[in-house]
Amino acid sequence: MNRNAPSGAAKTGTIFLVYSSLSTSREFCASSAPATAKIVNEAKATGIQLLVLEDLTHIRDRIKANHRVQSRLHRWAFRELQEMIIYKGSMAGMVVIKVDPRYTSQTCSRCHKIGKRHKHRFVCEHCGFQAHSDLNASRNLQGLGCLQISQGLL
């Protein structure tokens, strides 16, 4: 855990993964505004011009989990968090896009073949690459975003 990260955030590379289980919009906005500002400000400070987010449409329907996890997911305001990042990123002059997240956590970011994931560890049996599963997935999301831009799919 990074000491400078906002409470409730884990730092993976230069990307903050922000989790919130707040139930009201007012509480959510009050706690998420500084976190989303930090994401955008850090990206801008490091010269990043492209922010790639997962398209989380229908995520609650796609995730198979027990009742406790489902309950936490229903309290997490995915869309509001993404909208805040999109707005602040756009205001900072960045391009912000959403990509389909399917298989990003199972695909090797180095050789692009399906690997094995065990909890938070990703291991590719084809090339031997090992990484934290979130870092591997974020690299795949970055690749998908760059691919969409280079193919003019936006």
Side-chain angles (χ1 to χ4, degrees):
M1 182 79 122
N2 181 351
R3 288 185 187 167
N4 298 327
S7 63
K11 188 172 181 183
T12 304
T14 58
I15 305 216
F16 287 102
L17 304 174
V18 182
Y19 300 95
S20 174
S21 60
L22 300 172
S23 57
T24 68
S25 295
R26 185 183 311 235
E27 289 172 343
F28 175 80
C29 289
S31 68
S32 297
T36 56
K38 187 162 185 152
I39 291 168
V40 172
N41 291 339
E42 185 170 325
K44 188 172 184 174
T46 57
I48 294 172
Q49 294 296 313
L50 172 66
L51 293 178
V52 181
L53 305 175
E54 292 183 14
D55 184 356
L56 298 176
T57 306
H58 306 298
I59 190 169
R60 290 181 177 96
D61 299 331
R62 290 186 280 148
I63 294 179
K64 296 177 180 114
N66 64 32
H67 177 70
R68 183 177 174 196
V69 173
Q70 286 287 348
S71 176
R72 290 181 68 196
L73 281 175
H74 284 288
R75 290 192 310 257
W76 186 20
F78 300 108
R79 184 167 185 203
E80 287 87 348
L81 182 66
Q82 280 196 335
E83 294 302 320
M84 290 174 87
I85 292 171
I86 290 167
Y87 173 76
K88 290 176 183 182
S90 298
M91 293 302 290
M94 297 177 187
V95 175
V96 185
I97 61 172
K98 294 180 184 179
V99 297
D100 186 351
R102 284 183 283 187
Y103 301 104
T104 54
S105 63
Q106 300 171 28
T107 303
C108 178
S109 59
R110 197 171 277 167
C111 73
H112 307 291
K113 295 187 177 176
I114 300 294
K116 297 276 184 187
R117 189 179 157 184
H118 180 65
K119 295 190 179 181
H120 296 293
R121 197 86 197 131
F122 174 83
V123 178
C124 180
E125 297 172 343
H126 302 281
C127 70
F129 178 68
Q130 295 184 24
H132 190 282
S133 57
D134 290 339
L135 178 60
N136 181 64
S138 66
R139 288 177 177 163
N140 285 324
L141 289 170
Q142 177 188 23
L144 288 172
C146 291
L147 183 65
Q148 280 190 4
I149 288 176
S150 68
Q151 293 179 343
L153 299 175
L154 295 176

